[in-house]
C-alpha cells in the first residue's frame, strides 16, 4: 500500500464523511475551489459530516504530522500543498432567535440562507456584496459588510465560536472563556482553530432601500464627482459604491448591457426611499442612465444589487485602501482612460468610514480602518492567456493611485499569495503570530493567508 492509498484508508477509518485522495474518482473536482484560478495541490479531500468529523481529521493530522486546510466552498483558496483539504459545506445548521436578535450558523451556511431567515423578522446579518460565500469564512476575515458603516465589522458582532483546536479538541470560545482566542478569531483568519459554528448578533433592518444606477462610461467623471460629494456627507445608514464596469458580450445579457462599458453606483440605505433619494439627489441630476434598480427591498435580496456571479470562475484581483479621494479620483480616471477598462471586469471604490473607523476596546483582531475608501480591481480569466494583460492593467492603475494608498489591505481583500502582514498593523500582527505559535506549534492548521 503506497502512502496516498494508506492516507485514504486511515482517513476513512476515522471519519463518516466522504474521503478522496489522488487517483480516486472525483478527486480533482473535489479539490477544485470556487475560484479556479488557484490550483489546490492537496493530498486528500475530506467532506466532513459534522463537527465530530472535523475533530477526527484534525486529531489524525496532528498525530500524523500533516496539515489541515479548511474550506466550505473555496471562494478564498490557496495552494495548500500536501495538506488535507477539509470541506465543511455539509455543516448546515441554522437557527434564528428573533426575540434575542441572535443567529447560530454552522460552517457551511451561506449568507443567502442567513439573510432569508432573518429578513422576515426585520433583521439583518452583516453580509457583503455576494450571498454565495459562507458566513463563517467571511467573518473570520473581519467581514466588510454593506452595513459596516452603521454596525462595524461582522466579526465584532460574534458572541461565540464553536471550534476544533489544533489538537483536535472541541470547545466553545467566548470573550469570557478564552479572551485571547476569541480576539484572534474575530478578524485574524483561519489560522487558529477550525470554526464549526458561530453565534452572532443580528441588527435592525425594518426598512431597506437599495439598488444600482448604470450610465455609459462617458459619464464617469460626473458620477465620480457626485460620489465624492455624497460620501463626504453620508450618514452611517447610507453606503455607496462606485464602479467602472465592463459587461461581457454574452448573448444572455440584455441588449443595453451586452458588451457595455459602464459606470455605476450601488447603494444601500437602512431607511425609507424618500430620505434615501434626498441623500442621493446628485445622481438623479446626471443625464442618460441606462438602468436604475433602486427600490425598497427585503434584506434577503441584498445580493441582487451587485449581481455577482454565483457559479465558480477564475479571477485575479487587487485591493488597496485609499487615504482620500480628491486627488486619487483624477489619477484613477486618467489611468482607466476613455472607453473600456478591459481586460478588467470592474474597478470598484467602496465608501468605508462610520463604525468601521471607530476604535473599540472590545473589538477583535480586525481592529478598525482609518482609510475612508477601498479600491478593488478585478479581472476574470475568461480565456487562456489573459493573466499577463490583467496583471499589467491592475499594476498600472495601482501605480497611479499609489501616493494616495496606505499600504494596508482588509484581510478578505488580500489577493492570492499575499501575506496577512498586509492586513494588520505591526502590533496586531505580532500578537496574532504569538497566539499562533502557542496554540498551534506544529502548524497543523493552515489558512489561505497565514500570519506566520
Amino acid at each position: 500500500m503506497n502512502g496516498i492509498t494508506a492516507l485514504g484508508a486511515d482517513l476513512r477509518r476515522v471519519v463518516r464523511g466522504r474521503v478522496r485522495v489522488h487517483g480516486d474518482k472525483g478527486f480533482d473536482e473535489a479539490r477544485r475551489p470556487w475560484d479556479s484560478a488557484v490550483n489546490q495541490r492537496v493530498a486528500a479531500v475530506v467532506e466532513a459530516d459534522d463537527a465530530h468529523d472535523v475533530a477526527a481529521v484534525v486529531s489524525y493530522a496532528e498525530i500524523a504530522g500533516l496539515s489541515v486546510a479548511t474550506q466550505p466552498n473555496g471562494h478564498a483558496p490557496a495552494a495548500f500543498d500536501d495538506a488535507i483539504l477539509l470541506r465543511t459545506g455539509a455543516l448546515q445548521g441554522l437557527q434564528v432567535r428573533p426575540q434575542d436578535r441572535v443567529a447560530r450558523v454552522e460552517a457551511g451556511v451561506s449568507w443567502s440562507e442567513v439573510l432569508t431567515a432573518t429578513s422576515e423578522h426585520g433583521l439583518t446579518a452583516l453580509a457583503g456584496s455576494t450571498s454565495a460565500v459562507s458566513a463563517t469564512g467571511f467573518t473570520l476575515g473581519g467581514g466588510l459588510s454593506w452595513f459596516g458603516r452603521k454596525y462595524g465589522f461582522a466579526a465584532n458582532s460574534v458572541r461565540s465560536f464553536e471550534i476544533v483546536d489544533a489538537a483536535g479538541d472541541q470547545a466553545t470560545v467566548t470573550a469570557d472563556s478564552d479572551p485571547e482566542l476569541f480576539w484572534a478569531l474575530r478578524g485574524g483568519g483561519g489560522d487558529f482553530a477550525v470554526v464549526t459554528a458561530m453565534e452572532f448578533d443580528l441588527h435592525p433592518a425594518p426598512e431597506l432601500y437599495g439598488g444600482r444606477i448604470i450610465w455609459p462610461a462617458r459619464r464617469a467623471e460626473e458620477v465620480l464627482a457626485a460620489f465624492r460629494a455624497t460620501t463626504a456627507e453620508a450618514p452611517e445608514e447610507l453606503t455607496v459604491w462606485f464602479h467602472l464596469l465592463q459587461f461581457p458580450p454574452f448573448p444572455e445579457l440584455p441588449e443595453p448591457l451586452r458588451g457595455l462599458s459602464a459606470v455605476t453606483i450601488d447603494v444601500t440605505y437602512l431607511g425609507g426611499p424618500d430620505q434615501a433619494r434626498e441623500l442621493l439627489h446628485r445622481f438623479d441630476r446626471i443625464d442618460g442612465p441606462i438602468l436604475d434598480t433602486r427600490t425598497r427591498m427585503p434584506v434577503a435580496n441584498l445580493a441582487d444589487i451587485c449581481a455577482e456571479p454565483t457559479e465558480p470562475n477564475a479571477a485575479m484581483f487587487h485591493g488597496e485602501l485609499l487615504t482620500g479621494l480628491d486627488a486619487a479620483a483624477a489619477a484613477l480616471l486618467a489611468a482607466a482612460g476613455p472607453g473600456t477598462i478591459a481586460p478588467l471586469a470592474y474597478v470598484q471604490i467602496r465608501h468605508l468610514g462610520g463604525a468601521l473607523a471607530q476604535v473599540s476596546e472590545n473589538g477583535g483582531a480586525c481592529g478598525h480602518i482609518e482609510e475612508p475608501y477601498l479600491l478593488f480591481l478585478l479581472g476574470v480569466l475568461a480565456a487562456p492567456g489573459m493573466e499577463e494583460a490583467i496583471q499589467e492593467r491592475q499594476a498600472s492603475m495601482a501605480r497611479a493611485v499609489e501616493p494616495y494608498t496606505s499600504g494596508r489591505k482588509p484581510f478578505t481583500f488580500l489577493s492570492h499569495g499575499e501575506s496577512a502582514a498586509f492586513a494588520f498593523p505591526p502590533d496586531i500582527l505580532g500578537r496574532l503570530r504569538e497566539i499562533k505559535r502557542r496554540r498551534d506549534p506544529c502548524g497543523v492548521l493552515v489558512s489561505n493567508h497565514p500570519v506566520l
Side-chain angles (χ1 to χ4, degrees), residues 112-185:
S112 174
E113 294 161 308
V114 176
L115 295 177
T116 298
T118 63
S119 181
E120 62 185 270
H121 304 292
L123 299 171
T124 188
L126 300 184
S129 58
T130 174
S131 59
V133 301
S134 71
T136 299
F138 176 88
T139 303
L140 286 173
L144 280 177
S145 165
W146 269 114
F147 310 128
R149 287 177 37 75
K150 177 65 175 177
Y151 297 119
F153 282 99
N156 286 339
S157 286
V158 175
R159 292 188 171 195
S160 66
F161 294 98
E162 296 168 38
I163 62 106
V164 173
D165 67 16
D169 295 325
Q170 297 184 62
T172 298
V173 175
T174 68
D176 294 326
S177 70
D178 193 338
E180 178 184 78
L181 184 56
F182 186 65
W183 174 83
L185 291 172

Side-chain angles (χ1 to χ4, degrees), residues 55 105 154 200 295 410 431 443 449-450:
V105 304
F200 53 86
T295 186
R431 185 178 173 187
H449 299 289

Side-chain angles (χ1 to χ4, degrees), residues 88-122:
T88 54
L91 279 64
Q92 284 289 314
L94 169 60
Q95 299 170 332
V96 174
R97 304 198 306 272
Q99 67 279 9
D100 300 323
R101 293 183 179 173
V102 170
R104 177 190 176 273
V105 304
E106 293 187 349
V109 176
S110 71
W111 276 129
S112 174
E113 294 161 308
V114 176
L115 295 177
T116 298
T118 63
S119 181
E120 62 185 270
H121 304 292

